[in-house]
Amino acid sequence: SFDKIVNKFEYSLVKFDVGFPTGDKHKNFGRVAAQISEVDNLFMGEVRVKDYGDKVNIEMADRFNVDKDKKTLPETILFTTEDGTLTEVARYGGDYSVDNLRLFIASKSGVYLKLEGCIKEMDTLADKFSRATSKEDREKVLFAAESWAKEKGEDALVYVKIMKAALETGKEGV
């Protein structure tokens, strides 16, 4: 059933963990999973590995070269099925804060993870603005942002205000 599930998504973040996980790592992984539940091409799941009693998911851990020692778990792996086969993209090695897990997913997959109050199109323009190398290029992006802000309303105006401030005073002024 593992393959059936992950093959339905472009990306899957799977946490291999002890049989009964507790603590901040487990809670934060769950928080991120709840936050991204509406992202269509991303799955987050957990494989609980039990090395006692009814040994469960040992073969799954072996399949992906996950150390089953409780001291090394959790081990979190980002997979993709982009080319039609399940492929490992990266293993997570940071702390399990919500922000760092989200950053890992977004940076390794390219999947947009919306934060509350953010607008995807405006985030894209803000990124282009920050990468622009000339004042002329930043002005073009600002013009596009102003057009979008007229459609998107008051939340989008915050982006325009920040871009204008950065254009007038430089990045240091923001």
Side-chain angles (χ1 to χ4, degrees), residues 13 17 73 75 81 96 102 114 130 138 146 150 159:
L13 187 69
D17 210 342
L73 294 174
E75 173 109 32
T81 57
Y96 278 74
R102 290 177 62 93
K114 180 181 176 186
S130 69
R138 286 190 289 280
E146 289 172 327
K150 289 175 186 170
Y159 290 85

Side-chain angles (χ1 to χ4, degrees), residues 15-174:
K15 178 172 69 96
F16 292 81
D17 210 342
V18 296
F20 298 100
T22 59
D24 288 341
K25 291 178 181 181
H26 178 66
K27 289 176 185 171
N28 288 341
F29 189 85
R31 287 182 182 113
V32 174
Q35 290 174 0
I36 62 98
S37 63
E38 294 180 18
V39 177
D40 293 336
N41 59 343
L42 176 64
F43 167 77
M44 284 183 68
E46 183 178 66
V47 175
R48 294 185 179 184
V49 181
K50 290 171 64 178
D51 62 351
Y52 56 89
D54 292 334
K55 296 184 180 191
V56 178
N57 293 322
I58 297 291
E59 59 286 334
M60 184 71 67
D62 288 340
R63 176 180 170 191
F64 297 109
N65 298 315
V66 172
D67 188 346
K68 297 169 288 297
D69 184 351
K70 292 177 185 176
K71 294 174 187 160
T72 63
L73 294 174
E75 173 109 32
T76 302
I77 306 172
L78 180 66
F79 296 99
T80 186
T81 57
E82 211 169 22
D83 62 1
T85 60
L86 184 66
T87 307
E88 181 178 319
V89 175
R91 292 185 183 232
Y92 182 67
D95 70 20
Y96 278 74
S97 70
V98 170
D99 289 341
N100 284 342
L101 282 166
R102 290 177 62 93
L103 179 63
F104 173 76
I105 294 167
S107 66
K108 297 296 181 183
S109 69
V111 173
Y112 176 77
L113 301 178
K114 180 181 176 186
L115 292 172
E116 189 174 326
C118 292
I119 302 166
K120 182 178 181 177
E121 296 85 359
M122 297 302 286
D123 282 346
T124 301
L125 289 171
D127 184 55
K128 286 182 181 178
F129 184 89
S130 69
R131 295 176 191 272
T133 56
S134 70
K135 184 175 181 180
E136 182 180 276
D137 288 342
R138 286 190 289 280
E139 287 172 343
K140 288 177 185 176
V141 175
L142 175 59
F143 179 78
E146 289 172 327
S147 297
W148 269 102
K150 289 175 186 170
E151 283 184 38
K152 298 292 182 180
E154 194 169 320
D155 287 345
L157 291 175
V158 172
Y159 290 85
V160 172
K161 289 178 185 176
I162 292 171
M163 287 180 198
K164 283 183 177 178
L167 196 59
E168 291 171 12
T169 61
K171 291 180 181 179
E172 298 79 27
V174 178

